[in-house]
Amino acid sequence: MRKLLLLLSVIIVGIVFTGRLFYLQVYNARSTNLYQDNAIRKVFDYPKRGFVYDRNGKLLVSNQPSYDVMVIPREVKPLDTIEFCKLLKITKQSFKDKYAKAKKRSPRLPFVFVSHLSKEDYAILQEKMRKYEGFYIQKRSLRKYETTIGANVLGDIGEVNDRNIKNDNYYQSGDLIGKAGVEASYEATLRGQKGIKFIQKDRFNRNLGPYQDGIHDTIPEAGKDIKITIDATLQAYGELLMTNKRGGIIALDPKSGEILAMITAPSYNPNSLVGRDRSKNFSKLYNDSIAKPLFNRSLQGVYEPGSPFKLMNALIALEENVMSTTEKITCHHGIKYGNRFMKCHCASGTRNDMFSGIEKSCNSYFLTTYRRILDKYDNASIGIDKWSNHVKSFGLGNFLNNDLFVGQKGRIPDRDYYSRIYPNRFYSTYTVSNAIGQGEVATTPIQLANMVAAIANRGYYITPHIIKSIEDETISDNFTTPKYTTISKQHFEPVIEGMLRVYEKGTASSLQVKDIEICGKTGTVENFAIIDSVKTQLTDHSIFVAFAPKNDPKIAIAVFVENGYWGSRFAGKIASLMIEKHIKGDISRTDLEDWILSHSLQNEYDKPISNQPFSINGQTQLQTVSPEEYKNLKTRSNQIHLDVKTN
């Protein structure tokens, strides 16, 4: 019996020792424990981030090598901090702050101590890194923007924050992530997949080579290249035209929903947010609370749409059968409603049908149209819901469900909205500002461009999007499937005819482009600001929407120029130039280009903070740029036009 017990004891002890050896030599070698082994250095192998090309294959974003000094706090040994700080070009206090932050984050995990070393600094430092235990240099790719345009389109990359790490365990402290634009929208596609190498160290902190012959290492998977819908030449031209102005432009291909240009002004060089100066430059841009260069006005700017919204009311009136195209409304230099009066620039006694109403942008015609839509029903509350549903079918009043990183819903009021203002019954006369695109209606440039694209397509739109193709992938059906409006196809032709007349003999007759039938609509929107607690009227905004050619639309565009006086003065000229640039590749209306480049609106933007009068004897004063600046702008323009011809 004792022999049996002794034998069992030996077997049990053998099993325990064998199990422990298996744990130490096999299980403990797994990657989860390799991260905790002080004798093994973990080196991430960062993948090549995907390149970004424009719609014509022009390279916009590539990569360049970057070197980061990493630290693992618990492996740090006493060192000559003065010498080390000198090599890193940082102060001793900065060293202490960075080390404390790294230790607080995690004593055992790598932390970016100094990022984006130059090649020269790297060459000097790498020879001396053995002296500084716990520190090592990690190579990765940094973005290189092959252009100076499209900062709001392309976006930028920066270090992850705590929220990024919490939401996605792929990231660790010091990793880079898309922060805005395409870099953010397509982060998962562009970033690829990190690899990792486990390096065995000796007791002197020297690398001995791959741990266990590299069987636990993984190789990085490169990010995928993408092609975006932007035409880099059109984008550059639009940004040039918006120099010394503020506002936003969206140009779409109506047939595909592809965004041809997405311009916000003012903008900045995307390369300013690359490298060690990124934080300083970002802070400068972020803290500019006046010009707001980081604010994407083309996607986030919420403005009253003004007269271009009259197109919506014309279409709804035809669909609801409350107006015909030939019925004429008399304008008395305005129109009375209730005990109030809405002014109009038409001469007293002018009689307008739908075509001339659009051509002349008659407020009297469209106030009558709007009231008939609402008053068709027993209660204007029902009418406002019908009206609102029609408008929303064009993508207004909501997010467009696109692939852009930022956006705004805008505002299209309905019964619920007005019930909070008028808890009892309300009448169509209460909301007549909606007739002319003011009051409670608010849209973004991309929403208005999409509205015009739906008109150009005679009743449908494709969701505006920035992606054209992804390496080895197909794009979402959402970006290829038509979305139909509630307006019947036959009702679009008279409205389009009215838009054509705007160019032929209406408010944009001075903006015609030879051999291109452009259908457009001017807009002027009142502009108010609170200055010293007083509501003050500033110079009106300039708005313009258009598409061309009439019977084979290739571009739909919306232009907003803040404080731009009236629709045709700034926005209309810019729209005509961009349409011609896209369709012809060259510019015949050089008179329009010269005028736009030679005039600045900076004085208008300075007035609220400079105590300048908003007008002198009731007249505003146009500002021209200096001869030297004009010469520089023309040089840039000539280069843009030359690039098209050489390509």
Side-chain angles (χ1 to χ4, degrees), residues 54-56 58 60 149 230-240 260-261 263 578 581-582 585 639-645 647:
D54 88 332
R55 65 185 298 107
N56 299 312
K58 181 178 181 179
L60 300 177
I149 61 155
I230 293 294
D231 181 330
T233 300
L234 189 65
Q235 178 79 19
Y237 190 54
E239 291 190 14
L240 175 68
L260 303 171
I263 294 147
M578 291 192 67
K581 184 67 178 173
H582 179 65
Q639 186 58 55
I640 291 170
H641 300 322
L642 181 63
D643 286 346
V644 173
K645 293 176 181 178
N647 290 335

Side-chain angles (χ1 to χ4, degrees), residues 481-504:
T481 305
K483 282 79 176 176
Y484 289 90
T485 71
T486 57
I487 307 299
S488 303
K489 184 175 181 179
Q490 69 269 20
H491 296 318
F492 286 91
E493 290 304 330
V495 172
I496 290 171
E497 181 62 29
M499 295 174 70
L500 181 64
R501 290 192 187 185
V502 169
Y503 262 91
E504 289 182 338

Side-chain angles (χ1 to χ4, degrees), residues 336-504:
K336 186 177 180 180
Y337 61 99
N339 60 357
R340 304 184 69 181
F341 188 81
M342 178 183 284
K343 294 181 180 179
C344 181
H345 56 256
C346 290
S348 184
T350 303
R351 289 176 58 76
N352 289 310
D353 59 15
M354 184 168 287
F355 304 108
S356 61
I358 295 172
E359 170 196 324
K360 298 175 183 176
S361 198
C362 179
N363 287 346
S364 301
Y365 181 88
F366 285 100
L367 184 146
T368 303
T369 300
Y370 175 77
R371 289 194 61 190
R372 287 191 185 179
I373 295 169
L374 268 61
D375 292 340
K376 174 183 176 180
Y377 300 90
D378 294 337
N379 190 318
S381 295
I382 300 173
I384 196 70
D385 268 351
K386 293 284 186 179
W387 172 87
S388 181
N389 289 336
H390 283 306
V391 175
K392 290 175 181 176
S393 74
F394 285 76
L396 303 179
N398 212 331
F399 296 109
L400 287 167
N401 193 27
N402 53 37
D403 58 345
L404 303 170
F405 188 62
V406 294
Q408 290 287 343
K409 292 177 67 173
R411 183 177 58 248
I412 300 299
D414 55 14
R415 186 195 320 208
D416 289 341
Y417 179 90
Y418 283 119
S419 66
R420 296 191 292 270
I421 305 172
Y422 308 107
N424 301 316
R425 180 179 175 131
F426 84 98
Y427 299 89
S428 60
T429 53
Y430 293 4
T431 63
V432 292
S433 291
N434 294 337
I436 59 173
Q438 296 193 211
E440 290 75 46
V441 175
T443 61
T444 62
I446 193 171
Q447 289 175 329
L448 268 197
N450 188 62
M451 179 194 82
V452 177
I455 295 173
N457 291 334
R458 281 69 170 173
Y460 72 90
Y461 66 89
I462 307 293
T463 300
H465 54 281
I466 201 73
I467 193 69
K468 188 168 180 66
S469 63
I470 301 174
E471 182 183 342
D472 301 328
E473 291 185 20
T474 56
I475 66 171
S476 168
D477 290 343
N478 183 46
F479 304 141
T480 58
T481 305
K483 282 79 176 176
Y484 289 90
T485 71
T486 57
I487 307 299
S488 303
K489 184 175 181 179
Q490 69 269 20
H491 296 318
F492 286 91
E493 290 304 330
V495 172
I496 290 171
E497 181 62 29
M499 295 174 70
L500 181 64
R501 290 192 187 185
V502 169
Y503 262 91
E504 289 182 338

Side-chain angles (χ1 to χ4, degrees), residues 312-326:
M312 288 298 316
N313 286 319
L315 289 166
I316 296 169
L318 292 173
E319 184 68 29
E320 291 291 323
N321 198 29
V322 296
M323 294 286 281
S324 70
T325 59
T326 56

Side-chain angles (χ1 to χ4, degrees), residues 138-265:
Q138 178 171 272
K139 181 180 178 181
R140 73 170 88 191
S141 289
L142 199 62
R143 275 319 215 189
K144 181 181 181 183
Y145 295 95
E146 307 285 351
T147 180
T148 59
I149 61 155
N152 64 309
V153 178
L154 302 173
D156 63 289
I157 61 174
E159 286 191 22
V160 294
N161 55 35
D162 292 338
R163 184 175 59 183
N164 299 140
I165 296 171
K166 181 179 179 181
N167 292 341
D168 190 339
N169 59 15
Y170 172 85
Y171 299 105
Q172 294 193 9
S173 176
D175 282 357
L176 300 177
I177 190 173
K179 292 289 187 178
V182 170
E183 295 280 21
S185 297
Y186 287 92
E187 163 68 12
T189 300
L190 292 168
R191 76 183 183 190
Q193 197 72 22
K194 286 184 293 189
I196 188 169
K197 295 178 181 179
F198 298 97
I199 309 298
Q200 182 71 59
K201 299 185 297 181
D202 65 12
R203 63 190 184 94
F204 298 109
N205 203 39
R206 293 177 299 198
N207 294 339
L208 297 178
Y211 175 71
Q212 291 191 347
D213 295 324
I215 62 171
H216 303 287
D217 296 351
T218 59
I219 59 174
E221 181 180 330
K224 294 183 178 180
D225 296 342
I226 65 173
K227 180 180 286 189
I228 61 175
T229 60
I230 293 294
D231 181 330
T233 300
L234 189 65
Q235 178 79 19
Y237 190 54
E239 291 190 14
L240 175 68
L241 297 175
M242 287 296 287
T243 304
N244 297 314
K245 303 161 191 73
R246 294 177 189 167
I249 303 173
I250 292 287
L252 303 173
D253 180 343
K255 296 175 183 176
S256 65
E258 294 177 352
I259 300 173
L260 303 171
M262 183 169 73
I263 294 147
T264 184

Side-chain angles (χ1 to χ4, degrees), residues 109-127:
L109 293 179
F111 182 87
V112 178
F113 196 74
V114 174
S115 61
H116 312 316
L117 291 179
S118 68
K119 292 180 180 180
E120 294 76 17
D121 291 340
Y122 165 70
I124 295 171
L125 190 61
Q126 69 168 338
E127 298 297 329

